[in-house]
Amino acid sequence: MREGVANYVAKAEEELRQRRLAWQEAKQWKFDTVAVHGLYTVAEAIERNQGAIIEPVYLATSQAYRDSDELEAALAYLIPTWCYARIANPSVYYLEWTLALLEGYGCDFETACCATSSGMAAIVSAIEPFLVRLPGRELEPVNFVASAHVYGGTFQQFAVRQREKGVEVRWVQHPERLEEWAAQIDQHTRFLYGELPSNPTLAFFDIAAVAELAHSHGIPLIVDSTVATPALLRPLQHGADIVVHSATKSLTASGFGIAGAVIARKPIVTNIPNDPMREDFASYIKFLPNRDNGPNLSPLQAILTASDVRTLRVRMDMLSENARLVAEFLQDHPKVERVSYPGLPSYPLHALARRYMWLVDAEYDHRYREKVNRYGHLLSFCVKGGHEAARRVLDGLRRIFRATDLGRIKSVATIPAISTHQQQGEEGRKLASIPDNLIRLSVGAEHPDDLIADLDQALARA
Ligand SMILES: *Cc1c(COP(=O)(O)O)cnc(C)c1O
């Protein structure tokens, strides 16, 4: 190594030490403090950002260096730096650390995060490193095992895009049954993938048991935790290796843009012989495959996302309580066939969900002073009378928006069979148990009495 480059590397050690101290301090905080501050410390504000109390948006595409030695050290990733905004960016960095800390909250291992331009980009970034052809084994088949209860875009990605590349997806129709997962795994399986609670059927599975099954085969469990958010469930704590988020959805409330994130524990379990990938998966994809593929998040979107995440815990508490009241109303309504909401005792997977879904830090919350279950804002219900009746109910909504979105501060409803899960066809919807009279409802922060009144008058048209 050139002497000048080595000098920069030595100088960077102090900065790395400072970052490590900030991380250690943040690991001691409660969830809300992490969500509000992340690693944007007082020193970070004063010494680097002119005292700005909110993380600045750095829109510049690239970073300038003092001399060629610093440039070389930076582009070889020998010093902490951001180089070029497709690789990294200071605004994105603050969001990534907040999300890594929140998904790793209460865990004694380390976590890292790679933010992406969308939830789909997060999913593709998380799965593709496992689906590579291995040297000397290029002709071997490649498969992965996934719950069929996934977001429609995920279903398409797996069933169409991955199949185009010769990768086989093996669906698990009842993810709560461990033996269905086990029966699909063979020596060519690269990972297990599940979503919970799933969009739109609210499917659930035993994370710890599925993670243990994966690990017994030397492969990781990847979980889409979009609907739960770390305020209600942290899959890494229960043994999952990687969590993916559509940060477009429940992590944010305002609905100002598309974003995604991959958060991984350090190290992960994998049978892919790639040490940097095993040791720090999120940083690996950030600095190598995603540098080359380009699914990065824009700095402005990163700060908009970080801004909403600050109030995540109280928001998820409020939305969960609103959703529970709405679910209870729907459950008793004569025009409703059935309601899927993990918080309803009548829901078949309620006991399983109750084991996993807790409002983080409720025991330190002066309103509760004890652990409380919370089940999120998403529910679905089937309307008696079939598809046309469901359409009449949807069309009758006056306050609740008809749109394909969820996690918003405003309530939003859709019929998945004709929208989010339309592309996967009738066969695919049967596999995922999505009937055409099912309405998905993402409950917002309006007063629940007004939501119930809107649903009541719409259901009168069924
Ligand atoms: C919307 C969604 C995605 C995809 O996210 P985008 O940000 O729209 O790309 C993935 N998973 C779940 C559960 C979703 O609801």
Side-chain angles (χ1 to χ4, degrees):
M1 196 186 290
R2 283 171 66 95
E3 196 187 329
V5 174
N7 286 341
Y8 279 110
V9 174
K11 231 169 64 186
E13 268 170 33
E14 175 54 22
E15 192 186 335
L16 286 168
R17 203 182 66 83
Q18 292 297 337
R19 284 188 183 193
R20 178 112 205 128
L21 288 176
W23 177 82
Q24 278 167 352
E25 195 184 342
K27 281 298 263 187
Q28 308 302 317
W29 292 334
K30 299 284 189 293
F31 189 92
D32 285 339
T33 312
V34 175
V36 170
H37 290 282
L39 287 193
Y40 192 71
T41 57
V42 172
E44 201 61 31
I46 290 174
E47 284 156 29
R48 291 168 174 245
N49 295 297
Q50 309 205 37
I53 66 166
I54 300 297
E55 299 84 334
V57 182
Y58 283 95
L59 286 176
T61 48
S62 41
Q63 181 180 10
Y65 296 102
R66 289 173 182 83
D67 55 25
S68 62
D69 288 334
E70 191 181 30
L71 178 73
E72 183 177 338
L75 274 292
Y77 298 151
L78 295 172
I79 57 174
T81 184
W82 60 276
C83 311
Y84 182 66
R86 170 157 43 71
I87 303 171
N89 166 277
S91 308
V92 176
Y93 166 91
Y94 296 126
L95 172 69
E96 288 176 331
W97 271 109
T98 299
L99 295 180
L101 284 160
L102 294 181
E103 280 295 348
Y105 184 70
C107 301
D108 53 10
F109 48 81
E110 290 185 32
T111 49
C113 170
C114 171
T116 57
S117 56
S118 69
M120 290 317 303
I123 293 167
V124 172
S125 303
I127 66 168
E128 291 207 323
F130 298 104
L131 300 174
V132 291
R133 303 274 154 184
L134 298 173
R137 293 164 51 190
E138 287 87 352
L139 298 178
E140 284 183 8
V142 173
N143 73 64
F144 64 94
V145 177
S147 166
H149 296 262
V150 288
Y151 170 65
T154 309
F155 195 95
Q156 285 298 105
Q157 171 58 227
F158 292 178
V160 180
R161 300 297 152 233
Q162 292 304 322
R163 235 168 234 169
E164 284 171 349
K165 297 178 191 171
V167 172
E168 180 195 2
V169 53
R170 297 181 172 183
W171 297 116
V172 172
Q173 216 177 334
H174 305 98
E176 71 280 13
R177 298 183 192 159
L178 192 65
E179 65 279 9
E180 279 194 30
W181 292 90
Q184 302 274 33
I185 302 171
D186 66 16
Q187 76 270 29
H188 303 302
T189 304
R190 300 288 177 84
F191 60 85
L192 307 186
Y193 184 99
E195 181 180 311
L196 84 176
S198 76
N199 165 7
T201 54
L202 289 306
F204 215 86
F205 58 88
D206 186 342
I207 307 170
V210 176
E212 200 178 303
L213 175 70
H215 296 164
S216 74
H217 291 272
I219 55 175
L221 169 64
I222 304 174
V223 174
D224 182 336
S225 195
T226 295
V227 172
T229 81
L232 305 183
L233 173 64
R234 290 167 305 289
L236 301 181
Q237 194 172 45
H238 303 291
D241 297 86
I242 298 166
V243 166
V244 292
H245 276 284
S246 166
T248 316
K249 308 283 178 57
S250 318
L251 278 175
T252 51
S254 37
F256 284 148
I258 305 288
V262 179
I263 300 105
R265 60 160 66 221
K266 292 160 69 170
I268 59 161
V269 174
T270 174
N271 55 8
I272 305 296
N274 178 336
D275 288 339
M277 175 174 145
R278 183 200 331 272
E279 293 311 317
D280 186 352
F281 182 80
S283 304
Y284 168 79
I285 59 170
K286 181 172 177 61
F287 289 107
L288 296 167
N290 283 12
R291 173 195 64 188
D292 306 334
N293 295 331
N296 63 295
L297 182 63
S298 104
L300 183 55
Q301 204 55 52
I303 296 305
L304 288 174
T305 305
S307 220
D308 277 348
V309 167
R310 299 187 216 280
T311 49
L312 181 65
R313 195 184 72 92
V314 284
R315 187 171 75 243
M316 289 307 285
D317 185 18
M318 179 190 196
L319 299 187
S320 296
E321 282 302 87
N322 285 0
R324 180 178 61 80
L325 293 167
V326 170
E328 283 168 1
F329 160 77
L330 289 169
Q331 174 174 249
D332 296 332
H333 199 284
K335 298 273 178 68
V336 173
E337 202 173 271
R338 67 182 160 90
V339 181
S340 294
Y341 183 63
L344 288 179
S346 62
Y347 182 64
L349 302 174
H350 173 68
L352 189 55
R354 197 175 54 208
R355 257 168 58 201
Y356 282 104
M357 299 193 73
W358 299 93
L359 177 66
V360 67
D361 284 354
E363 61 272 42
Y364 308 117
D365 187 321
H366 64 88
R367 291 170 304 165
Y368 304 120
R369 296 262 171 233
E370 60 178 3
K371 283 172 73 85
V372 297
N373 286 109
R374 286 293 180 265
Y375 298 95
H377 54 76
L378 193 67
L379 61 89
S380 60
F381 60 100
C382 292
V383 180
K384 277 185 195 161
H387 182 62
E388 289 302 324
R391 281 184 108 109
R392 283 194 297 274
V393 173
L394 191 79
D395 291 345
L397 294 170
R398 297 219 289 247
R399 176 92 304 113
I400 299 170
F401 285 114
R402 287 167 287 276
T404 65
D405 201 353
L406 60 90
R408 293 289 77 85
I409 200 79
K410 300 185 179 187
S411 293
V412 176
T414 189
I415 297 177
I418 56 164
S419 58
T420 52
H421 292 69
Q422 176 241 107
Q423 313 126 318
Q424 73 194 59
E426 210 168 327
E427 195 75 0
R429 284 194 297 274
K430 201 169 280 172
L431 193 68
S433 320
I434 305 170
D436 62 6
N437 64 335
L438 179 141
I439 294 181
R440 182 186 80 187
L441 175 61
S442 174
V443 177
E446 302 92 341
H447 195 285
D449 291 352
D450 293 327
L451 294 175
I452 287 168
D454 195 16
L455 285 161
D456 199 25
Q457 63 82 28
L459 278 162
R461 303 166 169 232

